[in-house]
């Protein structure tokens, strides 16, 4: 899985930040490595350094899955790390959902959570 970091000119410490964000993304998405070819991380300071405001750090994550359209999520937070963490939470849920649906189409049986019994297999 390749990780590409993009920042705007208002974010400082690009090399150290890239290393930290890269390791965070790699750790959070490690269980999806077989499905993801590349993750692009876009970081920007919405209000630049001129103004201090709440949730002005923006993170957009785009995951490229083999044979599928890219999946993208966005998150705003007070710090860069919080913005990345929030976006990773969203992307993890989206990947679970997307890849879970693919597995269900391949014939995995579903179990009813309420009754504890197996639900009938449906053709799709």
């Amino acid at each position: 899985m390749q990780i590409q970091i993009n920042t705007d000119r208002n974010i400082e410490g690009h090399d150290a930040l890239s290393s930290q964000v890269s390791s965070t993304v790699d750790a959070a998405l490690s269980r999806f490595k077989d499905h993801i070819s590349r993750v692009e991380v876009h970081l920007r300071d919405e209000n630049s350094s001129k103004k201090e405001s709440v949730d002005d750090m923006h993170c957009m994550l785009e995951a490229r899955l083999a044979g599928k359209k890219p999946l993208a999520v966005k998150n705003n937070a007070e710090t860069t790390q919080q913005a990345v963490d929030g976006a990773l939470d969203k992307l993890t849920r989206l990947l679970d959902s997307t890849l879970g649906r693919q597995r269900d189409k391949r014939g995995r049986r579903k179990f009813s959570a309420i009754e504890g019994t197996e639900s009938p297999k449906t053709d799709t």
Side-chain angles (χ1 to χ4, degrees), residues 35 49 54 56-57 67 74-75 78 85 93 99 106 111 114:
H35 302 283
S49 58
V54 176
D56 66 338
M57 299 308 293
K74 299 176 183 179
N75 191 57
E78 198 168 327
D85 290 343
R93 287 193 308 268
L99 296 173
R106 293 183 183 142
F111 290 89
I114 298 173

Side-chain angles (χ1 to χ4, degrees), residues 73-75 81-91 93:
V73 295
K74 299 176 183 179
N75 191 57
Q81 188 62 48
Q82 290 171 344
V84 170
D85 290 343
L88 279 169
D89 287 343
K90 290 178 182 182
L91 184 58
R93 287 193 308 268

Side-chain angles (χ1 to χ4, degrees), residues 54-121:
V54 176
D55 295 346
D56 66 338
M57 299 308 293
H58 178 82
C59 177
M60 193 214 26
L61 296 176
E62 183 178 332
R64 302 206 177 249
L65 300 174
K68 302 284 182 203
K69 291 183 180 182
L71 300 175
V73 295
K74 299 176 183 179
N75 191 57
N76 285 21
E78 198 168 327
T79 68
T80 303
Q81 188 62 48
Q82 290 171 344
V84 170
D85 290 343
L88 279 169
D89 287 343
K90 290 178 182 182
L91 184 58
T92 301
R93 287 193 308 268
L94 182 58
L95 286 166
D96 275 335
S97 174
T98 301
L99 296 173
R101 280 194 297 259
Q102 285 178 351
R103 283 190 298 268
D104 287 344
K105 287 179 184 178
R106 293 183 183 142
R108 186 180 75 177
R109 294 181 176 237
K110 296 181 183 181
F111 290 89
S112 172
I114 298 173
E115 299 173 19
T117 61
E118 195 172 318
S119 57
K121 190 174 176 181

Side-chain angles (χ1 to χ4, degrees), residues 31-57:
R31 65 188 171 114
F32 300 108
K33 281 185 181 183
D34 294 339
H35 302 283
I36 299 173
S37 59
R38 182 175 73 201
V39 177
E40 290 186 30
V41 181
H42 299 273
L43 299 169
R44 73 173 188 254
D45 187 346
E46 300 256 316
N47 295 323
S48 71
S49 58
K50 297 176 185 175
K51 293 191 253 179
E52 290 293 323
S53 66
V54 176
D55 295 346
D56 66 338
M57 299 308 293

Side-chain angles (χ1 to χ4, degrees), residues 12-23:
E12 296 178 19
H14 181 61
D15 291 337
L17 179 65
S18 289
S19 177
Q20 179 185 10
V21 169
S22 236
S23 63

